[in-house]
């Protein structure tokens, strides 16, 4: 089964953190992703550009600055993992949430969309 682990956070929240916290998180994420790779659980990961550079394009090509769900936090980073079950995806999300001090969204990638 494949799951997406989604981290939503505003850039302003990161800027409020101490530089030491940022360094610890970067080190943690490097270890976390290395461990996923060593267990063949990580399919891919992305770190997205600042929410200040986000744009939304609507039907007819209308464009506006910002992210789609303006009332919520913008998507900052995501991981796609291949794990045996939802429980393992929840375990990984819990590790991230605990270390990053935030909620992590978990969504299954539907099997019909998976290509060899």
């Amino acid at each position: 089964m494949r799951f997406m682990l989604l981290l939503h956070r505003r850039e302003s929240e990161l800027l409020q953190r101490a530089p030491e916290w940022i360094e610890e998180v970067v080190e943690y994420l490097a270890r976390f992703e290395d461990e996923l790779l060593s267990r063949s659980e990580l399919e891919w990961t992305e770190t997205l550009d600042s929410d200040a550079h986000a744009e939304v394009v609507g039907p007819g090509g209308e464009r506006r600055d910002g992210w789609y769900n303006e009332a919520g936090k913008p998507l900052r980073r995501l991981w796609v993992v291949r794990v045996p079950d939802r429980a393992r995806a929840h375990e990984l999300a819990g590790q991230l949430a605990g270390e990053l001090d935030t909620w992590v969204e978990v969504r299954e990638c539907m099997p019909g969309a998976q290509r060899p």
Side-chain angles (χ1 to χ4, degrees):
M1 299 177 81
R2 287 185 342 158
F3 289 88
M4 257 189 186
L5 309 178
L6 302 131
L7 173 65
H8 297 264
R9 181 168 264 160
R10 288 186 179 89
E11 185 172 8
S12 60
E13 294 172 338
L14 293 174
L15 295 174
Q16 295 171 2
R17 298 286 188 152
E20 296 80 17
W21 184 86
I22 301 286
E23 287 178 21
E24 289 174 13
V25 165
V26 169
E27 289 174 14
Y28 168 78
L29 290 175
R31 283 192 315 275
F32 178 79
E33 291 169 7
D34 284 348
E35 290 169 6
L36 289 177
L37 281 169
S38 72
R39 293 189 301 267
S40 298
E41 290 180 317
L42 183 64
E43 296 243 332
W44 56 275
T45 184
E46 293 290 339
T47 302
L48 303 180
D49 192 9
S50 163
D51 48 280
H53 298 133
E55 299 174 313
V56 178
V57 178
E62 180 183 347
R63 189 192 67 78
R64 69 168 169 81
D65 292 335
W67 53 95
Y68 180 74
N69 178 13
E70 287 185 318
K73 295 180 181 181
L75 182 61
R76 171 66 64 200
R77 188 170 181 138
L78 63 99
W79 299 262
V80 175
V81 295
R82 186 176 296 274
V83 293
D85 54 32
R86 185 176 298 274
R88 177 65 178 148
H90 287 170
E91 179 183 338
L92 294 172
Q95 290 175 17
L96 285 169
E99 191 67 32
L100 304 176
D101 191 28
T102 191
W103 291 81
V104 173
E105 182 179 347
V106 177
R107 291 209 188 173
E108 184 175 359
C109 299
M110 302 309 295
Q114 297 176 20
R115 303 277 183 207

